[in-house]
Amino acid sequence: MTEIRGRILQTLREAGDRFVSGEELGQKLGISRTAVWKHIQSLQGAGYPIEAVRNRGYRLLWRGEVLSAEAIQAGLTTRSLGKRMAVLETVDSTNRYAFAEAERGAPEGYTVLAERQTAGKGRRGRAWFSPPGTGIWMSVVLRPGFPVYKAPQLTLTAAVSVADAVRKVTGVPVGIKWPNDLLLPDGRKVCGILSELSAEAEEIRFVVLGIGLNVFGRPETFPPELRTVAGALAPEGEQISRIALIQSMLAHLERDYAVYSEDGFSPLKNRWERLNVSLGRRIAVQTSRGRLTGWARRIDDDGALWVEADTGEMEPIISADVIFDPH
Amino acid sequence: MFRVTEIRELIRLMDETSVVELEVESEGSRLSIRKAHATGVAPAVQAAPPAAVQAAVQQPAASTPAVPAGIEGPPAPAAAPLTGEKRGKGGGEARSTAIAEASLHTITSPMVGTFYRAPAPDADPYVQIGSKVTEKTIVCIVEAMKLMNEIEADCRGEIVEVLAENGQLVEFGQPLFRVRLD
């Protein structure tokens, strides 16, 4: 099913402005016109802008690339990341899918991508808005040899990798907000990284690194509550290849993960600091226990954020929402 | 003295192998670890769960007063409950404590982070006092830097104590729950 829908999307994309008839699609895929119509309907239901005109056929109004494992792997320079890959049309959450696959033994580097998530995960039960074809919704399974207490800095490492890849492929000078959000120069959030870990006591079974990167979409395409805070790399439909971005992200991630595994966080800390837009700023920190305001001063070797609170105390922050320039 | 983390690592290594007894000597301290089911003689062993490992630290006479290994530093992960036992004078008291502790398992935090009892702020807690757990039951989340670590009970039994507050910062090795083992 999913594979057939992927091929329908691929065919429509290649056709550009031309309408493709149901008969042509059916012949190409070896299915009936009625079956084609049913697939088109479920693609439309999933949010794909497909125009259907009687006696002419179907046309895809959105021109972004359709993701496929073949296209991504064709230009992949990694040794293990993305070598095993599932590219789905729709999934509830790539993290949940990758986690379940890892529990069934998926190897290090196993990568899940989806055109659309119906229940993309954010921090503490929040959702990640992930409509079809507009972003990169990706989860990578890692099976590191280090113990659990070293895992959190891996999420800062991932922020460095993704920021480098985005800058290289798109030229958009994204910055890192502690611990691992990526922001556009105007401060809108363009990428979030949420990781989940499975461990046996202090030993890691696997980590799922979940990356949500908004590539296309004007502010008005976001839900109202996100319009002022979220953004995309190419809001005006600028030409960006999601496939090239994915390839670059996996390559950077693999290299930085190797550096972290061998040499620890310190070489990455310098790069994190160069890319960061958090330190030196006035912030509020919202933790589950309350709110703290002060100045973001530094990160330590464990990746914790040290805040000079208005009380004068230096406070280490391990997990929190950071708000810039609070009133 | 051996560090608790070193003892823990040795116990874990033993659990993964068929080795039933191990003696290590270092800087004047001697540590001997023996799998409980391998002996079946001492009362403390019979009280312990079958897979448990018994550790006994033997201090040389000249050294500083001995402390039972089980009560120093962060508690051992209860996958292998550590029954501290001091040989020689005064050993009897330590041994009876060990028997009482043997049926309780302490779930500890494997990392520094924020302790959450529920998957989301408005969701029900994973477990409460009285909840029955099995090895794979998720009992809480510890978060650091947007890394979510769902902690598994790693034992079978009933939650009898919750030792940390929701939203609290917990340290590496800090006790989070106590479980009465089935």
Side-chain angles (χ1 to χ4, degrees):
Chain A
M1 284 290 269
T2 305
E3 195 200 325
I4 285 182
R5 284 181 209 157
R7 287 171 66 195
I8 290 176
L9 286 171
Q10 188 76 32
T11 307
L12 294 178
R13 187 184 70 83
E14 283 164 3
D17 287 333
R18 185 173 70 84
F19 280 93
V20 183
S21 71
E23 196 176 346
E24 187 185 335
L25 275 170
Q27 273 173 7
K28 190 166 178 174
L29 304 173
I31 56 174
S32 71
R33 282 174 57 184
T34 318
V36 169
W37 171 231
K38 283 187 176 152
H39 285 301
I40 295 277
Q41 278 182 314
S42 57
L43 284 166
Q44 286 172 326
Y48 290 93
I50 297 172
E51 198 180 7
V53 176
R54 191 178 287 273
N55 296 326
R56 293 187 75 185
Y58 308 104
R59 184 164 73 163
L60 184 63
L61 298 174
W62 149 65
R63 302 277 184 270
E65 296 157 304
V66 175
L67 301 181
S68 74
E70 302 76 53
I72 295 163
Q73 289 174 332
L76 203 56
T77 58
T78 56
R79 215 168 43 81
S80 75
L81 266 54
K83 287 295 175 188
R84 294 270 303 274
M85 181 177 274
V87 180
L88 312 168
E89 176 221 317
T90 299
V91 72
D92 50 0
S93 145
T94 57
N95 258 31
R96 196 210 49 76
Y97 190 97
F99 200 96
E101 287 298 309
E103 282 187 323
R104 283 206 288 271
E108 164 139 310
Y110 177 78
T111 299
V112 179
L113 281 145
E115 288 286 14
R116 164 178 182 256
Q117 295 184 106
T118 54
K121 280 189 186 179
R123 186 173 168 266
R124 300 294 301 134
R126 288 191 292 238
W128 183 267
F129 177 65
S130 18
T134 62
I136 294 172
W137 328 126
M138 178 167 86
S139 297
V140 180
V141 174
L142 300 176
R143 296 186 179 272
F146 47 74
V148 168
Y149 71 85
K150 283 187 72 182
Q153 296 99 301
L154 194 55
T155 75
L156 277 75
T157 301
V160 170
S161 311
V162 177
D164 279 346
V166 166
R167 283 167 167 240
K168 196 163 152 190
V169 173
T170 71
V172 179
V174 290
I176 302 174
K177 178 184 179 190
W178 186 90
N180 52 23
D181 286 347
L182 299 189
L183 305 185
L184 294 171
D186 69 3
R188 287 166 194 268
K189 176 167 167 175
V190 75
C191 177
I193 300 175
L194 183 83
S195 307
E196 295 177 80
L197 180 130
S198 173
E200 181 127 19
E202 285 143 46
E203 209 165 296
I204 297 176
R205 284 193 205 108
F206 59 84
V207 177
V208 172
L209 270 183
I211 299 165
L213 176 63
N214 305 332
V215 180
F216 304 111
R218 291 164 174 275
E220 60 268 26
T221 62
F222 288 94
E225 69 276 15
L226 295 178
R227 269 173 214 163
T228 56
V229 293
L233 292 173
E236 302 301 327
E238 297 91 331
Q239 285 296 317
I240 286 182
S241 163
R242 284 187 301 158
I243 290 172
L245 251 179
I246 291 164
Q247 290 162 343
S248 180
M249 280 159 67
L250 290 171
H252 277 88
L253 205 52
E254 181 168 286
R255 209 167 49 213
D256 295 334
Y257 169 51
V259 168
Y260 179 64
S261 299
E262 278 159 41
D263 303 326
F265 186 57
S266 57
L268 293 149
K269 185 176 166 225
N270 296 334
R271 288 168 56 201
W272 188 97
E273 285 164 347
R274 279 204 300 277
L275 290 162
N276 105 88
V277 292
S278 309
L279 302 183
R281 289 186 71 158
R282 182 141 181 87
I283 62 168
V285 178
Q286 187 71 48
T287 71
S288 52
R289 320 247 33 207
R291 190 180 164 105
L292 175 95
T293 52
W295 297 88
R297 289 303 183 203
R298 63 184 186 91
I299 58 165
D300 64 20
D301 291 341
D302 295 327
L305 176 68
W306 285 78
V307 178
E308 186 183 340
D310 291 344
T311 56
E313 297 280 308
M314 287 295 284
E315 304 268 3
I317 305 298
I318 306 291
S319 33
D321 289 324
V322 172
I323 300 137
F324 284 155
D325 309 316
H327 303 298
Chain B
M1 271 301 272
F2 288 91
R3 298 174 46 152
V4 173
T5 50
E6 293 169 342
I7 297 172
R8 200 184 310 185
E9 189 57 31
L10 287 171
I11 289 173
R12 184 176 306 145
L13 280 173
M14 280 185 73
D15 262 352
E16 289 168 1
T17 63
S18 56
V19 173
V20 293
E21 197 160 357
L22 178 75
E23 261 191 45
V24 192
E25 208 162 13
S26 166
E27 292 165 14
S29 292
R30 195 162 85 221
L31 172 74
S32 82
I33 305 175
R34 186 167 78 240
K35 276 188 189 159
H37 53 72
T39 66
V41 281
V45 170
Q46 284 159 2
V53 174
Q54 186 188 20
V57 177
Q58 296 179 341
Q59 291 292 327
S63 102
T64 48
V67 179
I71 61 168
E72 190 196 70
L82 196 63
T83 39
E85 186 188 347
K86 191 178 69 169
R87 292 270 164 87
K89 283 177 226 151
E93 275 171 46
R95 180 173 298 188
S96 55
T97 315
I99 295 166
E101 294 285 312
S103 63
L104 284 182
H105 171 112
T106 305
I107 301 172
T108 61
S109 179
M111 64 185 208
V112 177
T114 305
F115 169 80
Y116 299 113
R117 292 194 54 195
D122 54 356
D124 291 332
Y126 287 108
V127 292
Q128 285 167 323
I129 289 173
S131 297
K132 291 282 187 189
V133 298
T134 64
E135 284 82 356
K136 289 281 179 186
T137 306
I138 293 165
V139 293
C140 64
I141 286 181
V142 176
E143 180 200 4
M145 295 159 227
K146 286 170 75 185
L147 176 85
M148 304 293 167
N149 187 357
E150 291 183 338
I151 310 290
E152 295 169 1
D154 222 11
C155 68
R156 273 170 193 273
E158 183 187 327
I159 302 281
V160 291
E161 213 176 340
V162 182
L163 300 163
E165 270 181 67
N166 188 48
Q168 180 189 337
L169 188 67
V170 294
E171 298 295 329
F172 174 82
Q174 183 169 333
L176 304 175
F177 297 93
R178 258 194 255 287
V179 183
R180 187 185 301 118
L181 297 171
D182 284 350

